Amino acid sequence: MRLRVARGIALLAALLLLAACATTPITVKPHDALDALAEDYVHLLLALGEHDPLSVDAYYGPREWRMAVQGDTPTLAEIGRRSTALGVALDAIGDPGDTHQHARQRMLSAQVRALHTRALQLQGQTFSFDEEAQLLYGVTPPRYQEADFSKALAALEKLLPGEGALAERYERFVAPFNVPPAQIEALMQRAIDISRLQTRAQLALPDEEHVELALVTQQPWAAYNWYQGGYLSRIEINTEQPVSVRALMSLAAHEGYPGHHVYNLLLESRLLRERGWIEYCIYPLFSPQALIAEGAADLGVGLVFPGAAYARVERELMQQAGLPLAELDRYRRVQAQVHTLRGAPIEAARRYLDGALSRDQALQWLQTYALLTPARAQQRLQFIERYRSYIINYSYGQQQVRDWLLRSWWARLSSEARWRRYAELLAEPHTPADLLHD
């Protein structure tokens, strides 16, 4: 099957030529050309997915499109050439003259650039960590030095006195707060139910939407949302490593409500079904969309469990699991300090992927500055090796989304306004660059 990029360019050029020569002016509708190029993009991304399954996180478009690409898959070099042509065609459209279409065009152009970059990487081209992050996700992540974590580590030394390395003392302290394996599924389902109830009180979601929960092992991630289309998600929880109640609460919000599940169903409902924007029948993993998705998902726990509600739900779930509550206050103070170390994995990834740290040194960095156990450090480094700079989309993405959300003075004062602004972010095309402006 031939991709339709060349045809889209030829069609646009022909219409412009006719408009210039005809006695009666012909009006070219940019959104018509945009629709055609969006379809080209879907075919091109499906082709990339045949070479690299990680690149396509979800697809719920026409089945015959996928079958056609499977039957005649372009080479990676051809995908690179056609994605370049697609980017040129998108730029040639000019200003669509409509706010929604303009936002759509900007996002599609950013997605095409990421697709092109991924195709180059799969052919062996290398980029520095920061170059890769900018090309794929549209941002340059901050750099961290050891001193950036010294204050939190010093506070933890006081909170967790005793023998052995700080990471070992931290692990011994939090171990009693881990959920017994037999109760993980029930507590996770309870956390999902609570976050779903809170989200539906603020956002209008389709009646038929739902999630399925499954427990898995032997994965480099803690949890994953596999969006199926039709407002259905399959959420998998990796039980290979111990998990706490607050981790389950975060995962319920991140993977489910109001995180990935809600984001994907809003894209399907508002952009694909209502507006017919076909590019939203496919979800590219390595793309600017990921920073919005992961950042918003990480922020979601604070929306569904605001302020005192977080502590109340955490206590309720801990009691349900039969966990000790005597040290709960110190546990919360410890976790507040550990939260400030979230930049450490980003710097470990940068230095490791750029060759400044060996694998053993990267593992040691994660244990020293992120306080990960050797097993968790191995899991995190496996994630970095598979997904590379994708790791920036969590803590740094959350920071970018939070700053954008609170740039509205009304959102700083009103919970309802925060939810409205959050829904706007999820249900309309936004590039990471858009988060820097309002």
Side-chain angles (χ1 to χ4, degrees):
M1 171 188 144
R2 290 181 56 83
L3 297 182
R4 300 172 58 251
V5 176
R7 191 179 73 195
I9 297 173
L11 174 63
L12 181 61
L15 287 173
L16 290 173
L17 181 61
L18 286 171
C21 299
T23 304
T24 303
I26 296 175
T27 301
V28 177
K29 297 181 179 179
H31 66 273
D32 291 342
L34 193 54
D35 289 340
L37 296 177
E39 185 176 327
D40 294 336
Y41 164 75
V42 175
H43 288 295
L44 205 55
L45 187 54
L46 283 172
L48 185 68
E50 291 301 303
H51 294 278
D52 174 40
L54 289 179
S55 289
V56 177
D57 197 61
Y59 177 69
Y60 38 94
R63 183 170 177 268
E64 59 270 22
W65 289 8
R66 170 165 269 169
M67 293 176 63
V69 170
Q70 289 172 340
D72 184 13
T73 305
T75 65
L76 286 169
E78 182 65 14
I79 292 172
R81 288 192 292 270
R82 294 181 182 181
S83 60
T84 297
L86 182 54
V88 170
L90 283 165
D91 289 341
I93 290 176
D95 188 348
D98 174 87
T99 301
H100 292 304
Q101 291 289 342
H102 185 56
R104 178 193 185 190
Q105 181 185 9
R106 286 201 317 274
M107 187 62 178
L108 187 54
S109 293
Q111 300 284 76
V112 169
R113 181 180 67 172
L115 187 160
H116 179 74
T117 301
R118 184 66 178 168
L120 293 177
Q121 288 183 307
L122 294 171
Q123 294 174 77
Q125 185 164 338
T126 60
F127 302 94
S128 71
F129 184 85
D130 288 349
E131 289 171 340
E132 178 184 305
Q134 181 60 236
L135 289 168
L136 291 177
Y137 311 115
V139 296
T140 301
R143 291 183 173 272
Y144 299 93
Q145 302 299 325
E146 290 81 348
D148 294 325
F149 311 114
S150 59
K151 183 178 179 180
L153 294 175
L156 286 165
E157 287 283 358
K158 294 180 180 179
L159 285 167
L160 300 170
E163 299 292 327
L166 178 58
E168 296 171 356
R169 281 176 274 149
Y170 170 68
E171 184 62 21
R172 288 197 300 270
F173 176 72
V174 300
F177 295 92
N178 292 327
V179 177
Q183 298 192 47
I184 290 177
E185 186 170 7
L187 260 65
M188 180 64 182
Q189 188 61 61
R190 175 61 178 154
I192 289 175
D193 291 343
I194 295 173
S195 60
R196 181 178 189 268
L197 185 66
Q198 296 300 318
T199 300
R200 291 187 67 92
Q202 299 290 339
L203 303 180
L205 304 182
D207 291 339
E208 63 270 35
E209 64 82 17
H210 63 293
V211 302
E212 297 174 348
L213 181 62
L215 305 184
V216 300
T217 58
Q218 298 182 332
Q219 295 294 340
W221 34 256
Y224 210 106
N225 179 306
W226 302 100
Y227 190 67
Q228 309 295 304
Y231 311 143
L232 167 66
S233 287
R234 174 183 169 88
I235 297 177
E236 294 183 348
I237 306 298
N238 187 0
T239 59
E240 201 164 17
Q241 298 295 331
V243 60
S244 66
V245 161
R246 61 174 44 205
L248 291 180
M249 292 170 61
S250 294
L251 292 175
H254 183 104
E255 308 296 343
Y257 305 86
H260 291 325
H261 174 64
V262 172
Y263 181 46
N264 281 294
L265 72 84
L266 287 177
L267 292 179
E268 181 180 358
S269 173
R270 306 283 180 84
L271 302 185
L272 178 62
R273 298 193 184 196
E274 292 182 13
R275 298 183 189 173
W277 294 358
I278 194 62
E279 66 268 34
Y280 290 98
C281 74
I282 194 166
Y283 186 96
L285 188 66
F286 303 103
S287 72
Q289 197 170 348
L291 184 128
I292 305 294
E294 301 293 1
D298 262 12
L299 191 72
V301 67
L303 288 176
V304 291
F305 304 119
Y310 185 96
R312 183 177 66 254
V313 172
E314 182 183 39
R315 177 178 285 271
E316 173 197 324
L317 295 181
M318 289 181 69
Q319 288 175 327
Q320 182 177 333
L323 299 177
L325 300 177
E327 289 271 39
L328 184 54
D329 180 64
R330 183 158 71 117
Y331 174 75
R332 288 170 174 167
R333 285 184 284 133
V334 166
Q335 296 294 26
Q337 294 296 332
V338 171
H339 184 77
T340 66
L341 303 175
R342 293 185 71 199
I346 293 178
E347 191 59 34
R350 173 188 280 113
R351 297 186 187 190
Y352 175 57
L353 295 175
D354 284 350
L357 292 178
S358 68
R359 197 175 196 281
D360 287 344
Q361 289 171 329
L363 289 170
Q364 188 58 54
W365 172 281
L366 290 168
Q367 293 172 60
T368 301
Y369 296 105
L371 296 188
L372 300 182
T373 64
R376 287 190 185 276
Q378 283 280 0
Q379 185 185 58
R380 188 65 57 85
L381 196 57
Q382 288 170 3
F383 180 95
I384 291 167
E385 289 169 338
R386 179 182 294 186
Y387 297 103
R388 298 182 56 83
S389 62
Y390 191 93
I391 198 168
I392 72 168
N393 295 318
Y394 299 99
S395 60
Y396 185 60
Q398 181 191 28
Q399 176 187 327
Q400 298 302 304
V401 171
R402 182 181 182 276
D403 289 349
W404 176 86
L405 192 74
L406 298 181
R407 200 165 292 131
S408 162
W409 68 269
W410 187 236
R412 293 196 295 270
L413 300 175
S414 164
S415 173
E416 289 75 13
R418 284 192 293 276
W419 273 102
R420 285 197 298 272
R421 192 160 165 83
Y422 184 85
E424 176 194 335
L425 179 65
L426 268 57
E428 294 290 340
H430 288 83
T431 68
D434 294 337
L435 300 182
L436 302 177
H437 311 285
D438 200 12

